[in-house]
Amino acid sequence: MKNSVGMENNTQVRVFVFSGLTDNDQLILFLFFFFLMVYLVTILGNIGLIILVLVASNLHTPMYYFLSCLSAVDFFYSTSITPKMLSDLISLRKTISFNGCAAQFLFFAGLAGTEVFLLSSMSYDRYTAICHPLHYVSIMTKGKCFSLASLSFFMGFFQSVVQTSCLFSLQFCGSNLIDHFYCDVLPMLQLSCSKTLHCNILTILSVGSCGLYSLSTILASYSLIFTTILHIKSSKGRQKAFSTCSSHLVCVSILYVSVFLTYLHSPSSALDKQDKVTSVFYTVMTPMLNPLIYSLRNQEVKRAIMQAIQHISHVIQIT
C-alpha cells in the first residue's frame, strides 16, 4: 500500500495511515466494544483511585501519593492511544496528520517513561518502609516524595522530547503506511527515507538507559527487601511485609514482560501480530489493570473503598 494518500516519492509525507489492529471485519465490532469497556474501566479505576487517595485520611502516605501519580499517568497514557484506536476501528480511513503523529508519540513516550521512573520511586519507598521502618517518616518526607515524582515526570518527558525531535526531523517521502495502530518508533523508522542510524542509536540509548536505571533500582530495592523479610522471625510479620510489595511487583512484572516482548528485537524487523498483541497489552490493558491490582490486593484500599461506599449510602439515606 504505497503512497496511500497520493504522496509523491520526493514529497514530505503530511498524513500517515495506520494498518490498524485487524483486517478481519468480523472482529471489528467485538474489538470496538471490548476496548471501549476497557477504556471506561481505565477512566473510572484511575480517577476513582486518585479521588480515594485524596479523601481517605488513612491513604495519606508516600506509597499512595506515588500510586495516585501512577494513576494519573495511566489515565493520560491510555488516553493518548485508546480513543484514536477506537475511532480507527470503525473508520474507513485510519489517518493521522504528521503533527498529530508527533504529538501522540511525544505523550506516549513521555508518559511511558514517567511510569517507569515512578515504579522505581515506588520500589525505593517500599525499601525504606521495610528496611528502615523507624526512619521511614523522616526519610520519605512530603518534599522528597514531591521531588521524586517531579523528577520522574521530568526524566520521562526529557527522553521523550529527545526521541521525538530526532524521529520527526527525519524525511518521510515514500510510503505513508504505519504498520501499527499508533505512532511508535520502530514502524516510523522503517518508513523514513533518511538515514536512521543516529535515531536508532539514540532510541536504544534512551530506552536502554531508562529501562536499565529503573530495572536496576527495582531489583536492588527488592533484593534488600527480600533479605530483610527473610530475617523477620514471625511468619505473620513476613507475610505482612511481603503483602505491601506484592501489588507493586505484579504491576512491574506485567509492564516489563510486555515491553520486553515487543522491543527486544532488531529495530529493522517488521512488526508481526504478536507485537501488536503485546503492544495492546501495555498501552491499553496495563493502565486498566494497575488500579484494579492495587484495589483487589491491598487491604487499606479495600477498607477505604468500603468506607467510601458506606459514607455515600449514609448520605443517600439522609437525603
Side-chain angles (χ1 to χ4, degrees):
M1 189 174 175
K2 297 283 184 182
N3 304 317
S4 301
V5 290
M7 297 291 173
E8 296 179 2
N9 285 341
N10 295 325
T11 305
Q12 173 73 6
V13 170
R14 294 299 173 191
V15 177
F16 293 106
V17 179
F18 294 124
S19 63
L21 276 175
T22 182
D23 296 324
N24 190 337
D25 293 338
Q26 296 178 346
L27 286 176
I28 288 175
L29 279 180
F30 168 76
L31 290 175
F32 175 81
F33 285 108
F34 174 76
F35 288 122
L36 177 61
M37 289 302 299
V38 168
Y39 184 56
L40 291 175
V41 172
T42 301
I43 294 172
L44 292 173
N46 285 293
I47 293 179
L49 197 52
I50 293 169
I51 294 171
L52 190 67
V53 171
L54 287 173
V55 301
S57 58
N58 65 311
L59 300 183
H60 291 174
T61 63
M63 175 181 173
Y64 296 104
Y65 171 75
F66 288 121
L67 181 57
S68 62
C69 291
L70 184 67
S71 291
V73 169
D74 279 333
F75 168 73
F76 289 109
Y77 179 61
S78 178
T79 300
S80 70
I81 302 293
T82 311
K84 175 60 178 169
M85 183 190 75
L86 287 171
S87 67
D88 284 344
L89 277 170
I90 54 175
S91 300
L92 293 176
R93 294 179 63 79
K94 303 172 178 62
T95 59
I96 188 170
S97 67
F98 183 90
N99 290 334
C101 191
Q104 186 185 60
F105 179 75
L106 173 69
F107 284 103
F108 159 72
L111 292 164
T114 301
E115 177 151 348
V116 163
F117 287 115
L118 276 175
L119 289 171
S120 298
S121 298
M122 292 171 78
S123 70
Y124 173 72
D125 171 69
R126 291 299 82 208
Y127 155 75
T128 308
I130 293 172
C131 299
H132 303 284
L134 298 179
H135 303 286
Y136 179 65
V137 175
S138 60
I139 295 174
M140 297 304 294
T141 61
K142 288 183 178 180
K144 190 166 189 177
C145 292
F146 178 77
S147 297
L148 286 171
S150 300
L151 183 63
S152 297
F153 278 93
F154 173 77
M155 293 301 294
F157 276 92
F158 175 77
Q159 61 86 29
S160 175
V161 168
V162 171
Q163 283 195 76
T164 305
S165 300
C166 183
L167 182 60
F168 288 89
S169 65
L170 299 174
Q171 291 294 310
F172 297 92
C173 49
S175 171
N176 63 346
L177 176 64
I178 300 175
D179 187 20
H180 216 336
F181 60 92
Y182 67 96
C183 296
D184 198 7
V185 61
L186 299 184
M188 293 295 295
L189 287 173
Q190 293 168 24
L191 286 185
S192 177
C193 51
S194 305
K195 292 182 179 179
T196 60
L197 179 61
H198 65 293
C199 275
N200 279 325
I201 294 172
L202 184 64
T203 298
I204 292 169
L205 289 175
S206 180
V207 175
S209 59
C210 290
L212 185 62
Y213 166 79
S214 173
L215 197 56
S216 60
T217 302
I218 292 168
L219 290 175
S221 296
Y222 276 103
S223 296
L224 295 170
I225 287 170
F226 290 144
T227 302
T228 301
I229 290 174
L230 290 174
H231 284 86
I232 298 174
K233 295 180 179 180
S234 167
S235 59
K236 188 176 180 180
R238 287 196 298 269
Q239 185 178 359
K240 184 180 178 181
F242 185 75
S243 67
T244 64
C245 305
S246 59
S247 299
H248 180 257
L249 274 174
V250 172
C251 292
V252 168
S253 300
I254 290 172
L255 177 66
Y256 273 99
V257 168
S258 56
V259 168
F260 285 162
L261 285 174
T262 300
Y263 290 100
L264 283 184
H265 53 62
S266 170
S268 62
S269 62
L271 270 72
D272 55 25
K273 289 183 180 179
Q274 181 181 337
D275 291 319
K276 288 187 179 182
V277 170
T278 52
S279 294
V280 167
F281 199 80
Y282 73 79
T283 57
V284 181
M285 301 300 293
T286 299
M288 177 194 71
L289 291 173
N290 284 346
L292 293 179
I293 290 167
Y294 273 97
S295 299
L296 295 174
R297 297 182 63 88
N298 192 291
Q299 294 300 322
E300 287 182 315
V301 174
K302 285 182 183 178
R303 196 178 303 117
I305 291 172
M306 292 305 299
Q307 289 174 351
I309 292 171
Q310 290 172 1
H311 178 72
I312 293 169
S313 300
H314 182 66
V315 170
I316 292 173
Q317 287 175 1
I318 293 174
T319 56

